[in-house]
Amino acid sequence: MSAFRSTSTPASTRTSRTRARRRLATASAVALTALALTACQDGTGIRDEGAAAATGSAAATPPTAGGTTDTQGATAGQQGTTATPAPAPGSATTTGGGKSGTDPAEEKGSAEPPAAGERVLCNGSNTAVTVQPLSRPLNHMLITVKNTGSKVCDLTYHPVLRFDEMQWAPAARQETRPQAVVSLAPGESGYAAALLAAADGSGEGGTTGHRLTIAFQGRTPNSGGGASAIPPLPAQGVHYDSSLTVTYWQQDIEDALGS
């Protein structure tokens, strides 16, 4: 029996191990308590990550809203373009340096009406007047007016005749009135005719005139048209009576003489 030895662990060794385990347990408890206190300070605990994710999602929302606003802005811009009133017809609108409208006046060209002063009245100052008694038609006298000026002139209405000191004006024959005013370009001639006396001798107060004054009318009947003309007469003079009448100014001799 003396050879057998006890193998039991000494009491001091067991005591040291027990203390070490208690210390480890105490340290673990302290660490867990500190972690719990830290989590409780913001009231979220282990849900901080979820809250942070939610906050991140909320932060991402404004760009989405901004995108919607931009789309509405673009739509509003399109509506603004659609609502722009169209230019008035015929108006010229410049877009991008080009003209999208056309002025009707430009389509018609650059033609302009004659400037004032390009047309004048024919009278004794810008014409050469001659008279010629005729045997056919009987007792007729042809009056010729030639434009000697540099501008177009108008022969208005009819000539006003006056032999010597006669106190009456011969009547105009209304059936000879032209449809338009007779206009003479420089160098052109116009005509009128006077019936000097009745062919059947029915006229009264027959006499011979040695001086003839031809007056011109203005733009209105019986108004003054400028200088009168005094054409030369044949040496023997011109016989006339109370039947004396005159035609309106004509463009052609045939119209003046009624042939």
Side-chain angles (χ1 to χ4, degrees):
M1 298 296 292
S2 59
F4 177 78
R5 292 182 180 177
S6 178
T7 58
S8 59
T9 305
S12 60
T13 301
R14 288 197 301 267
T15 299
S16 298
R17 289 178 180 176
T18 300
R19 290 177 179 176
R21 289 174 181 171
R22 288 178 179 176
R23 290 175 181 173
L24 179 60
T26 300
S28 297
V30 170
L32 289 174
T33 301
L35 178 62
L37 289 175
T38 302
C40 290
Q41 285 180 356
D42 57 6
T44 59
I46 60 174
R47 289 180 297 178
D48 279 348
E49 280 187 346
T55 302
S57 175
T61 300
T64 303
T68 303
T69 303
D70 291 342
T71 302
Q72 293 175 351
T75 303
Q78 294 175 355
Q79 292 176 351
T81 303
T82 304
T84 301
S91 63
T93 303
T94 302
T95 303
K99 182 177 288 187
S100 62
T102 304
D103 190 346
E106 294 180 358
E107 292 180 354
K108 294 180 181 179
S110 59
E112 298 179 356
E118 290 186 358
R119 300 178 68 90
V120 297
L121 290 171
C122 298
N123 55 43
S125 67
N126 55 13
T127 62
V129 181
T130 59
V131 296
Q132 180 182 359
L134 303 174
S135 58
R136 294 286 184 273
L138 185 63
N139 298 333
H140 278 67
M141 181 178 69
L142 177 66
I143 304 170
T144 302
V145 176
K146 182 178 181 179
N147 183 358
T148 58
S150 59
K151 299 179 181 179
V152 174
C153 71
D154 295 332
L155 283 170
T156 56
Y157 305 107
H158 56 83
V160 179
L161 306 183
R162 184 186 181 190
F163 283 103
D164 299 320
E165 301 299 326
M166 65 186 297
Q167 300 299 312
W168 54 280
R173 295 161 57 184
Q174 295 300 318
E175 70 274 15
T176 65
R177 184 168 188 166
Q179 295 182 351
V181 174
V182 175
S183 296
L184 305 179
E188 289 185 339
S189 297
Y191 309 90
L195 175 60
L196 299 172
D200 58 3
S202 60
E204 299 177 355
T207 186
T208 299
H210 295 279
R211 184 174 184 270
L212 174 63
T213 301
I214 299 177
F216 297 85
Q217 299 188 59
R219 301 293 181 184
T220 57
N222 302 316
S223 62
S228 298
I230 304 177
L233 295 177
Q236 68 274 20
V238 174
H239 178 77
Y240 68 95
D241 62 21
S242 60
S243 301
L244 178 62
T245 58
V246 67
T247 68
Y248 278 76
W249 292 112
Q250 306 294 329
Q251 201 79 51
D252 301 315
I253 294 178
E254 291 78 7
D255 292 335
L257 297 177
S259 58

